[in-house]
């Protein structure tokens, strides 16, 4: 199964995706990590463009073909990237589930965005202004929506595993 996460920076997307990957013992593929490595490689000094996503698609597909569950973590703000993730699952002959992470409490979302520490050395997190003014296309009715505003991560993961059809062992 390919579990495709998306959501604005500071929404709780990475925290949720990592916790789910750990719970499911899934392969975790994070576009931020790939993009940061590309910038640090001295190959792509400025804008990495779609390269990070393209690499993530390839890594995810390789692991899906090995029978692994893959959790893909990216902002995934436009339909073209979402459709590309779905194509990865289709090529690998596996199911895909989309999960949009939101934080419905705007004050809490802003607090998180402005105070969170980076877990990737040297990665600069976007400002609140860049977060809220980012181009972000509506997902429509396709995804499972997870609201992180007032729930503990463990509770969110328990709910998600049930919705994804995984046991609670």
């Amino acid at each position: 199964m390919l579990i495709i996460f998306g959501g604005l920076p500071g929404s709780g997307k990475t925290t949720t995706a990592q916790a789910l990957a750990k719970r499911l013992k899934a392969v975790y593929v994070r576009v931020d990590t790939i993009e940061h490595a590309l910038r640090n490689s001295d190959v792509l000094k400025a804008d990495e463009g779609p390269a990070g996503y393209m690499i993530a698609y390839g890594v995810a597909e390789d692991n899906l073909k090995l029978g692994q569950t893959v959790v893909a973590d990216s902002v995934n703000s436009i339909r073209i990237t979402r459709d590309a993730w779905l194509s990865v699952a289709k090529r690998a002959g596996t199911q895909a589930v989309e999960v949009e992470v939101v934080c419905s409490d705007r004050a809490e979302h802003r607090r998180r965005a402005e105070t969170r520490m980076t877990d990737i050395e040297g990665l600069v997190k976007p400002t609140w202004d860049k977060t809220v003014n980012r181009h972000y296309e509506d997902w429509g009715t396709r995804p499972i929506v997870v609201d992180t505003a007032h729930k503990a991560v463990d509770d969110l993961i328990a709910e998600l595993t049930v919705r994804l059809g995984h046991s609670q062992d």
Side-chain angles (χ1 to χ4, degrees), residues 1-5 17-18 20-22 24-31 34 55-73 85 88-89 92 94-99 164 166:
M1 173 186 289
L2 174 60
I3 304 167
I4 306 159
F5 273 81
Q18 287 176 337
L20 182 65
K22 185 175 182 177
L24 300 179
K25 296 178 176 49
V27 173
Y28 175 70
V29 178
R30 183 177 180 189
V31 171
I34 295 167
I55 293 165
Y57 301 149
V59 171
E61 187 171 342
D62 284 347
N63 282 282
L64 290 167
K65 286 179 177 176
L66 292 173
Q68 301 295 314
T69 294
V70 174
V71 173
D73 174 4
W85 281 117
V88 167
T94 194
Q95 177 186 6
V97 178
E98 295 173 298
V99 179
L164 294 170
H166 286 268

Side-chain angles (χ1 to χ4, degrees), residues 14 32 82 112 121 131:
T14 294
D32 278 352
R82 297 173 197 152
R112 289 178 190 172
E121 187 177 334
T131 297

Side-chain angles (χ1 to χ4, degrees), residues 71-84:
V71 173
D73 174 4
S74 62
V75 173
N76 220 3
S77 62
I78 57 177
R79 185 171 191 98
I80 193 168
T81 60
R82 297 173 197 152
D83 289 346

Side-chain angles (χ1 to χ4, degrees), residues 6-168:
L8 289 172
S11 64
K13 171 185 67 287
T14 294
T15 300
T16 306
Q18 287 176 337
L20 182 65
K22 185 175 182 177
R23 168 73 174 85
L24 300 179
K25 296 178 176 49
V27 173
Y28 175 70
V29 178
R30 183 177 180 189
V31 171
D32 278 352
T33 302
I34 295 167
E35 288 176 341
H36 190 65
L38 284 169
R39 284 189 297 272
N40 285 342
S41 72
D42 290 334
V43 176
L44 299 172
K45 286 281 192 188
D47 182 18
E48 65 282 342
Y53 275 84
M54 299 303 290
I55 293 165
Y57 301 149
V59 171
E61 187 171 342
D62 284 347
N63 282 282
L64 290 167
K65 286 179 177 176
L66 292 173
Q68 301 295 314
T69 294
V70 174
V71 173
D73 174 4
S74 62
V75 173
N76 220 3
S77 62
I78 57 177
R79 185 171 191 98
I80 193 168
T81 60
R82 297 173 197 152
D83 289 346
W85 281 117
L86 294 173
S87 293
V88 167
K90 185 175 182 179
R91 285 193 306 272
T94 194
Q95 177 186 6
V97 178
E98 295 173 298
V99 179
E100 182 182 20
V101 179
V102 299
C103 180
S104 62
D105 181 330
R106 188 169 172 90
E108 174 61 11
H109 189 183
R110 182 175 187 158
R111 184 195 66 74
R112 289 178 190 172
E114 292 178 340
T115 62
R116 66 194 173 130
M117 302 299 292
T118 185
D119 60 339
I120 301 173
E121 187 177 334
L123 178 67
V124 177
K125 301 285 188 172
T127 64
W128 175 246
D129 187 55
K130 284 187 178 181
T131 297
V132 295
N133 290 310
R134 165 184 225 121
H135 176 71
Y136 191 87
E137 296 175 6
D138 185 84
W139 286 62
T141 59
R142 294 190 330 197
I144 293 172
V145 177
V146 174
D147 187 348
T148 64
H150 303 291
K151 284 193 177 177
V153 174
D154 289 343
D155 294 335
L156 292 168
I157 298 309
E159 290 175 18
L160 254 178
T161 54
V162 169
R163 291 180 79 181
L164 294 170
H166 286 268
S167 69
Q168 293 293 307

